[in-house]
């Protein structure tokens, strides 16, 4: 199949190439299984700290108008802690239906904020990497929706592994 000679080139701008080359190593966190385990042990609170860390690293590479607000990560931490507090209070109160509802609300808000962060981070990384849909380094929307921080971590690790194996 012939390429269309009128399509614009897909090369990254010079400043974006430098940023993209250094982006993945600073986003490397560790094993996704480690993130899952820490998330389970802390009942989800750790994911907020992961988001704050990744925000900080990602924002270093972004222009000021593209930066992701740290309020998002801190809100995930707050909602997770409030949900956890409600969970523990639920065990010590006799009539705790209202506490359970409020705890579930905070838990749902934390989950929603994680999805919002996941899509914001996904869009920024796709832009910095110059990724287009269908390419290996494209961060997929479906996986981002269902597994936000876990998929983000997994994809960064996969891209780093493929880059290292390709350079060897």
């Amino acid at each position: 199949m012939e390429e269309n000679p009128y399509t614009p080139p897909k090369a990254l701008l010079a400043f974006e190439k430098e940023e993209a080359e250094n982006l993945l190593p600073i986003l490397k966190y560790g094993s996704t299984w480690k993130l899952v385990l820490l998330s389970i042990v802390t009942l989800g609170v750790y994911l907020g700290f992961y988001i704050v860390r990744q925000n900080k690293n990602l924002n270093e590479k972004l222009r000021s108008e593209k930066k992701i607000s740290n309020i998002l990560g801190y809100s995930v931490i707050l909602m997770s802690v409030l949900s956890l507090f409600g969970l523990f209070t639920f065990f010590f109160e006799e009539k705790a239906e209202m506490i359970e509802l409020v705890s579930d609300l905070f838990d749902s808000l934390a989950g929603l904020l994680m999805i919002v962060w996941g899509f914001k981070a996904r869009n920024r990384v796709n832009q910095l990497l110059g990724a287009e849909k269908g390419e290996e380094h494209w961060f997929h929307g479906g996986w981002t929706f269902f597994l936000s921080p876990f998929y983000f971590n997994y994809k960064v690790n996969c891209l780093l592994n493929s880059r290292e194996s390709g350079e060897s």
Side-chain angles (χ1 to χ4, degrees), residues 31-101:
S31 165
T32 304
W33 290 112
K34 175 183 170 186
L35 184 60
V36 169
L37 181 64
L38 285 170
S39 173
I40 291 169
V41 168
T42 62
L43 299 176
V45 175
Y46 187 77
L47 290 175
F49 289 99
Y50 173 80
I51 288 171
V52 168
R53 176 192 179 277
Q54 294 296 54
N55 254 1
K56 178 182 172 268
N57 293 333
L58 192 54
N59 283 341
E60 288 176 7
K61 300 293 180 188
L62 294 169
R63 294 187 210 124
S64 60
E65 70 272 5
K66 295 286 187 177
K67 292 185 187 295
I68 301 171
S69 173
N70 287 325
I71 293 172
L72 200 53
Y74 292 123
S75 296
V76 170
I77 295 170
L78 177 65
M79 295 299 145
S80 298
V81 167
L82 290 172
S83 174
L84 193 59
F85 178 73
L87 177 68
F88 287 129
T89 306
F90 176 76
F91 289 118
F92 299 110
E93 292 292 322
E94 289 180 23
K95 295 183 179 184
E97 292 83 17
M98 185 57 94
I99 293 171
E100 181 182 12
L101 287 174

Side-chain angles (χ1 to χ4, degrees), residues 32 50 149-159:
T32 304
Y50 173 80
F150 304 116
Y151 173 69
F152 187 85
N153 191 71
Y154 169 77
K155 187 67 175 179
V156 167
N157 288 341
C158 285
L159 292 175

Side-chain angles (χ1 to χ4, degrees), residues 18-30 53-54 57-58 61 125-126 128-129 137 139 152-164:
E18 287 178 26
E19 300 300 320
E21 288 299 316
N22 299 324
L23 177 66
L24 294 174
I26 67 165
L27 291 177
K28 182 161 176 59
Y29 164 76
R53 176 192 179 277
Q54 294 296 54
N57 293 333
L58 192 54
K61 300 293 180 188
V125 170
N126 280 341
L128 283 171
L129 295 177
H137 51 284
F139 281 61
F152 187 85
N153 191 71
Y154 169 77
K155 187 67 175 179
V156 167
N157 288 341
C158 285
L159 292 175
L160 280 169
N161 288 341
S162 70
R163 178 181 284 180
E164 289 169 2

Side-chain angles (χ1 to χ4, degrees), residues 5-19:
Y6 301 106
T7 59
K10 295 180 182 177
L12 296 172
L13 300 173
F15 71 90
E16 288 179 326
K17 279 186 183 179
E18 287 178 26
E19 300 300 320

Side-chain angles (χ1 to χ4, degrees), residues 114-115 118-119 122 139-149 151:
M114 281 187 255
I115 292 171
F119 277 97
R122 166 192 175 263
F139 281 61
H140 193 275
W143 291 114
T144 300
F145 179 78
F146 290 111
L147 301 168
S148 265
Y151 173 69

